[in-house]
Amino acid sequence: SIMGSHNSNNNPQILPKFNPLDPEQFRTQAHQMVDFIADYYKNIETYPVLSQVEPGYLRTQLPQNAPNRPESFESIIKDVHNHIVPGMTHWLSPNFFAFFPATVSSAAFLGEMLCNCFNSVGFNWLASPTMTELEMIVMDWLANMLKLPKAFMFSGTGGGVLQSTTSEAILCTLIAARDRKLDNIGVDNIGKLVVYGSDQTHSTYTKACKVAGIFPCNIRAVPTSIESDFALSPSVLHEIIEADVAAGLVPLFLCATIGTTSTTAVDPLSQLGQLAEEFNIWFHVDAAYGGSACICPEFRQYLDGIERANSLSLSPHKWLLSYLDCCCMWVREPNVLVKALSTNPEYLRNKRSEYDSVVDYKDWQIGTGRKFKSLRLWFVMRSYGVANLQSHIRSDVRMAKMFEGFVRSDPMFDVVVPRHFSLVCFQFNPNKEHEPGYTEFLNKKLLDSVNSTGRIYMTHTIVGGIYMLRFAVGATFTEDRHIISAWKLIKESAKALLKKSVLTKKY
């Protein structure tokens, strides 16, 4: 042609040949992306932890429609720098002390790259045998690290599965429990099923119960008190269950927590397990945060009584360096779970599933498709070994103890509840004569003032009517110096608050 190929790009009708994955172009761009990520991690301290943008900021900065023609990788990365990063709250910042940390590691990142590489959709054994089998092995490895009873392992009579989050783990076990109970009492009696937890159980529990068709009026939140460090009281629970049974209701499910979100309270598993057995209640243990610490012998006592549970879940994305999302769930009786959640469409039928006793993980979860997530945990366990994972947990706990020491040694501050793991719940309380309302007002002011500096990010909670500040240690990059400067900032902000005459006026 007269035009010559070099001009073809100017003609709107003719696009260069489209190749969505050219290995060489991928190699180049992926290396550039790794450089971007490594630089982000290296400089993460320079960003304000809590994003300072206003709602809707991004809409004004990006075009209204997707581009019709390709844009260069360089211009996309430039927009990430200019528009995406400013709107991030940096969960991986070493000065992130809010919620619970979301931990990461090189090993988990590499495992995730491999998971993305294969892009396997492992709904059943045949769809990728190694994907199913590695998950079974890794779940048994972790079960052994936690010294779980054989009844929760594939090497015993149970087994484990990777869910995305605790919400899904609770929902799956709840449905299994529900269907087994309805087989006995008839589906028309779903309105009689009652479920139990404490008022400190994660809010996702109530949500899962509603999704599973439990009537909201039958979801019991047992009140806790500061006297028992906000743990679920077996005697109070016993009374509530007896009253429900007397009223003709059917107790179904009990969720206990190891490390509640607000204060990391630990529920007494042995006594709760006995109650569950007595009333034939499915007993689930939500150890999303605290469970990971139980790979250390000094924390394993918190799992004492787990032999009485029907199921257990914990989230390595919180404390075992595995990136989101990664929730491990073990069940004592997989067949009950599979019976409730299995699907058997013609197009997925195969000899292996029908004649061999293979695990088809689609029947252990809500959805059908699933990623090869076990690679991440396998890489983490192999790259670091149990010893390093234990010392990672111990180091977070040691830093939290250090912060707790700072709080205790300052008469203007109080530790509100005993520290179990690496969360310190504390309060600015300069004058013990003040009414609680004034103390709450002071602490809200302090939280706002500290977070608005962008130098650290903490959150608050209200438990038993007490407003307290939460300082959660455990972001992967956090070191002693970050704890020390965080405390310095908190103290300075508190002093500045007291100086302000505004506080002497009516709050």
Side-chain angles (χ1 to χ4, degrees), residues 140-269:
D140 270 7
W141 278 11
L142 188 48
N144 277 319
M145 287 159 67
L146 293 162
K147 302 200 170 19
L148 294 185
K150 267 277 193 264
F152 285 110
M153 302 188 209
F154 287 108
S155 55
T157 49
V161 58
L162 286 171
Q163 303 283 355
S164 294
T165 61
T166 302
S167 316
E168 289 177 31
I170 291 176
L171 185 55
C172 290
T173 52
L174 195 56
I175 289 169
R178 178 198 70 187
D179 283 10
R180 178 162 73 177
K181 191 72 86 177
L182 291 178
D183 277 351
N184 293 334
I185 64 170
V187 286
D188 331 349
N189 286 311
I190 191 165
K192 290 184 181 173
L193 298 178
V194 190
V195 298
Y196 306 89
S198 85
D199 58 4
Q200 297 305 300
T201 310
H202 197 283
S203 54
T204 200
Y205 179 48
T206 302
K207 191 176 180 174
C209 293
K210 288 197 226 168
V211 173
I214 305 299
F215 288 19
C217 57
N218 289 343
I219 302 171
R220 305 275 178 266
V222 181
T224 56
S225 70
I226 196 159
E227 287 71 47
S228 61
D229 296 340
F230 302 110
L232 176 52
S233 153
S235 55
V236 178
L237 177 64
H238 193 241
E239 281 172 35
I240 293 175
I241 295 175
E242 296 224 287
D244 283 335
V245 173
L249 296 168
V250 180
L252 172 70
F253 194 92
L254 165 62
C255 181
T257 311
I258 299 179
T260 57
T261 304
S262 278
T263 66
T264 61
V266 176
D267 294 339
L269 302 192

Side-chain angles (χ1 to χ4, degrees), residues 94-95 97 399-400 402-403 406 471 473-474 478-488:
N95 296 307
F97 303 108
M399 288 190 285
M402 177 168 83
F403 184 83
F406 295 155
F471 190 86
V473 180
T478 304
E479 296 170 21
D480 288 19
R481 62 186 172 91
H482 300 106
I483 308 293
I484 293 164
S485 62
W487 174 244
K488 223 170 113 183

Side-chain angles (χ1 to χ4, degrees), residues 41 103-110 320-323 376 380 384 476:
Y41 287 160
T103 58
V104 298
S105 61
S106 305
F109 199 103
L110 299 173
L320 281 181
L321 304 173
S322 79
Y323 279 88
R376 252 185 294 166
V380 166
Y384 305 133
T476 306

